[in-house]
Amino acid sequence: MHKEIISTIIEIHPDELLIEAGFNPREAFIGDKCYTLEPVKSTIVAIKLAYKEGRSVELIKVVKHNNKYFVRQGHCRTMALKQAMKEGADIKKFKVMLITGLCDGEEYLENIDGNQRNALNPVSQGFALQRALTLGYSVEELAQRYQRSITTIRNTLKIMEMPEPLLVLLSFNRIKKTLAIEIMLRYENDHNKVMEHLRSVFPDIDSLATAEVLTISETKHSNSVVSMPTKSNEKSITTPNDDLVAENQEAEPVKEKDAKLTRKSLGIRVLSKKKTERLKSSFLKITNEIKQAEPCDETVVELQVDKKFVSHFEHVSKEHCSENGDGLCLKLSENQLRLLANLLSNEHVALFLTKEQVTEVTEIQQMLAS
């Protein structure tokens, strides 16, 4: 039985507010430096000014564990509050919304919900959904909650199958998601082949991804940049002389002159728009004509198969075949008989796909048609 969820507005001292490192999916693979990227950086600056000027700010949502208050929605507001206090804002008490009755999964979804205003990057979205699955939610439940198709949720989760250097570059917008996906598809998700291709064009691709992180964060914190969130990573946002001050200081943004990875720089040939549209049209036409064999309960013919060929039918349902002393009796409906005739015709070619492959073809078809 679920506990009753209760929201209560309380006043606490800023020193009591804690951030669980990595709990916010925005921090996935790049740590706190996600807060230095636009548009998040500008949002934090605007909220900081509101705190300094005493203007109203949307309440931060917290939960209470072991008499400590942990942020569950409002990480940017918390960063802004911290910066405002560093710049002299005199805030002794401020209001937060305390939520009780949430399970771990509900706490995490509260966090994802709070990131809707400044949309998460593709990596953070994939990371958030992946963790939600580990907390017991299904793809269908997440699709319903965030009003997305099941296909969209699954495609977002596939991003997490990429090698870490690609995830880091995606997080810093150094490569487009479509290009990263294209590279993965080209090498059938083989990390070694993907990285081999990247290194053949950019020998320093590994250091490029690392340098991107180190350019923004302190070297001594580089190990925590890609760490998974754990409840042991508690950080007070106002302790005067703690070792997090350097880590949380505003970092230099990514320089505009830093080159992005493109199809041209990766040596990937780009088809002309005309050829692309032709391929798209041809694929849609072919796949629209693909039909699955319709089952039929009524048997119209029985074929006797010699016993030396019985092994070919070991995966066929007993509904359609039965063994006898002479071999196998194969029962065919009218549709199945028509399919067999087409297979024996020189005018037709059959394409056999697994159920997973049919799903993949359908997803590609829907993506191209939209």
Side-chain angles (χ1 to χ4, degrees):
M1 184 176 180
H2 290 288
K3 294 181 180 179
E4 182 183 3
I5 299 175
I6 302 174
S7 298
T8 308
I9 297 176
I10 62 172
E11 282 194 345
I12 64 173
H13 192 280
D15 286 349
E16 298 179 82
L17 197 60
L18 298 172
I19 289 180
E20 185 179 326
F23 186 83
N24 188 353
R26 198 181 294 278
E27 301 173 12
F29 298 99
I30 59 175
D32 288 345
K33 305 316 164 189
C34 64
Y35 302 110
T36 68
L37 303 177
E38 296 294 356
V40 175
K41 180 179 178 180
S42 296
T43 300
I44 292 175
V45 170
I47 299 174
K48 176 186 69 176
L49 291 176
Y51 276 125
K52 291 176 70 174
E53 295 169 3
R55 291 185 277 117
S56 176
V57 175
E58 184 179 351
L59 298 183
I60 296 170
K61 293 183 179 181
V62 301
V63 295
K64 190 174 184 180
H65 294 307
N66 298 322
N67 292 320
K68 298 178 181 179
Y69 295 101
F70 291 89
V71 176
R72 287 298 177 256
Q73 192 180 116
H75 288 75
C76 289
R77 279 164 273 166
T78 304
M79 299 293 289
L81 173 65
K82 174 182 178 181
Q83 292 180 16
M85 295 181 67
K86 283 185 178 180
E87 295 177 13
D90 186 19
I91 303 175
K92 302 297 184 185
K93 292 276 187 179
F94 76 112
K95 292 181 179 180
V96 297
M97 183 175 291
L98 174 65
I99 306 177
T100 58
L102 295 176
C103 65
D104 289 345
E106 291 165 339
E107 285 186 19
Y108 194 69
L109 293 188
E110 275 288 338
N111 178 29
I112 299 177
D113 295 344
N115 281 306
Q116 299 301 308
R117 195 167 301 169
N118 278 326
L120 297 171
N121 66 49
V123 175
S124 298
Q125 291 178 27
F127 184 90
L129 293 175
Q130 186 179 71
R131 186 172 181 189
L133 290 180
T134 65
L135 292 171
Y137 292 94
S138 67
V139 169
E140 291 74 17
E141 287 173 326
L142 294 173
Q144 183 177 9
R145 183 182 181 99
Y146 297 109
Q147 298 182 344
R148 299 288 187 270
S149 68
I150 292 175
T151 298
T152 298
I153 297 295
R154 285 177 175 159
N155 286 340
T156 303
L157 285 165
K158 285 181 180 178
I159 291 175
M160 300 311 294
E161 297 175 5
M162 296 181 182
E164 190 171 300
L166 262 185
L167 294 175
V168 173
L169 294 174
L170 264 173
S171 297
F172 283 109
N173 196 29
R174 294 291 298 275
I175 185 172
K176 290 185 177 180
K177 181 181 74 171
T178 52
L179 178 54
I181 293 174
E182 184 178 332
I183 296 171
M184 294 298 293
L185 290 175
R186 173 176 290 225
Y187 294 107
E188 298 180 338
N189 289 349
D190 188 315
H191 287 204
N192 291 331
K193 291 181 179 179
V194 169
M195 294 310 300
E196 183 180 353
H197 180 115
L198 294 176
R199 293 186 188 107
S200 69
V201 183
F202 287 99
D204 60 344
I205 185 68
D206 297 283
S207 62
L208 178 65
T210 306
E212 184 70 30
V213 177
L214 296 179
T215 298
I216 294 181
S217 65
E218 297 291 337
T219 304
K220 65 180 181 179
H221 296 298
S222 60
N223 290 333
S224 65
V225 169
V226 296
S227 63
M228 298 290 284
T230 59
K231 287 195 174 182
S232 61
N233 295 326
E234 300 173 3
K235 299 182 182 179
S236 171
I237 65 166
T238 53
T239 304
N241 297 315
D242 67 17
D243 60 357
L244 297 171
V245 174
E247 180 186 21
N248 289 325
Q249 285 176 346
E250 184 171 295
E252 290 294 325
V254 179
K255 297 179 180 179
E256 290 297 324
K257 67 179 181 180
D258 289 339
K260 292 186 178 182
L261 300 179
T262 64
R263 286 179 176 83
K264 184 176 180 180
S265 64
L266 291 172
I268 298 176
R269 181 184 176 188
V270 181
L271 292 176
S272 66
K273 185 176 180 180
K274 185 176 180 180
K275 288 183 177 179
T276 301
E277 287 300 320
R278 182 180 175 185
L279 285 172
K280 174 182 174 181
S281 177
S282 298
F283 178 83
L284 289 175
K285 182 179 179 181
I286 292 172
T287 53
N288 283 334
E289 293 176 356
I290 293 178
K291 296 180 180 179
Q292 289 182 291
E294 294 292 335
C296 181
D297 295 334
E298 186 179 353
T299 300
V300 296
V301 66
E302 293 185 1
L303 300 179
Q304 186 67 28
V305 180
D306 192 277
K307 58 184 177 183
K308 65 181 179 182
F309 300 117
V310 169
S311 61
H312 296 312
F313 298 88
E314 60 183 8
H315 297 299
V316 177
S317 170
K318 298 300 182 182
E319 177 186 353
H320 303 298
C321 63
S322 60
E323 293 189 42
N324 52 40
D326 297 323
L328 192 75
C329 179
L330 190 62
K331 303 173 185 179
L332 300 179
S333 67
E334 182 179 353
N335 286 336
Q336 292 164 340
L337 189 62
R338 188 181 299 112
L339 177 61
L340 178 59
N342 286 330
L343 285 174
L344 298 175
S345 169
N346 292 329
E347 297 179 1
H348 296 88
V349 176
L351 179 64
F352 295 96
L353 301 175
T354 64
K355 290 183 178 180
E356 289 183 357
Q357 289 171 326
V358 170
T359 300
E360 189 172 352
V361 168
T362 303
E363 289 177 357
I364 295 173
Q365 185 188 56
Q366 293 173 348
M367 182 175 62
L368 290 175
S370 62

